[in-house]
């Protein structure tokens, strides 16, 4: 069973460009660390402070292994510091979802 991690960010709406740069860095780092990145999604219409990321894994165990690799990755650590120093992210929530499949 695969799972998708949905990360919901509440971002500083005055720093959307900086958050987008942060997200672009993950486009390379996440796959290199073993995540199947569906994508990052920025505010377009409606709320101007909500962004999402969707990353799929074969299992929760695969997610945990990915997290360990991510913590050890230099580019990942630098990107976490970038967001923290700029205070781009006001809140972050993770949910784990499974895809609904057709009945057999």
């Amino acid at each position: 069973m695969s799972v998708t991690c949905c990360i919901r960010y509440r971002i500083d709406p005055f720093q959307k460009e900086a958050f987008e740069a942060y997200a672009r860095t993950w486009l390379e780092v996440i796959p290199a660390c073993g995540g199947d990145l569906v994508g990052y999604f920025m505010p377009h219409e409606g709320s101007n402070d909500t962004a999402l990321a969707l990353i799929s894994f074969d299992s929760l165990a695969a997610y945990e292994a990915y997290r360990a690799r991510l913590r050890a990755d230099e580019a990942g650590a630098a990107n976490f510091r970038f967001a923290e120093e700029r205070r781009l992210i006001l809140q972050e929530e993770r949910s784990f979802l499974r895809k609904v499949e057709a009945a057999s």
Side-chain angles (χ1 to χ4, degrees):
M1 175 183 88
S2 67
V3 295
T4 298
C5 178
C6 176
I7 307 171
R8 182 181 180 276
Y9 298 96
R10 192 165 66 87
I11 62 173
D12 180 338
F14 298 102
Q15 296 197 62
K16 286 190 284 188
E17 287 180 15
F19 183 84
E20 192 162 348
Y22 168 82
R24 280 200 176 101
T25 298
W26 291 128
L27 298 180
E28 293 183 22
V29 174
I30 289 171
C33 289
D36 179 12
L37 181 62
V38 176
Y40 267 80
F41 302 87
M42 295 291 298
H44 181 68
E45 286 290 325
S47 170
N48 68 349
D49 69 346
T50 301
L52 296 172
L54 298 171
I55 312 163
S56 293
F57 302 92
D58 290 335
S59 64
L60 287 175
Y63 168 76
E64 291 301 329
Y66 153 83
R67 291 287 293 172
R69 287 188 297 275
L70 192 62
R71 281 190 293 275
D73 186 86
E74 288 182 32
N79 208 31
F80 283 127
R81 282 192 306 276
F82 171 78
E84 191 172 87
E85 290 166 1
R86 295 271 190 113
R87 298 180 181 225
L88 305 175
I89 301 167
L90 306 176
Q91 185 178 12
E92 186 176 312
E93 299 172 1
R94 280 183 173 71
S95 299
F96 292 87
L97 310 168
R98 63 177 174 75
K99 186 177 179 182
V100 175
E101 302 290 345
S104 44

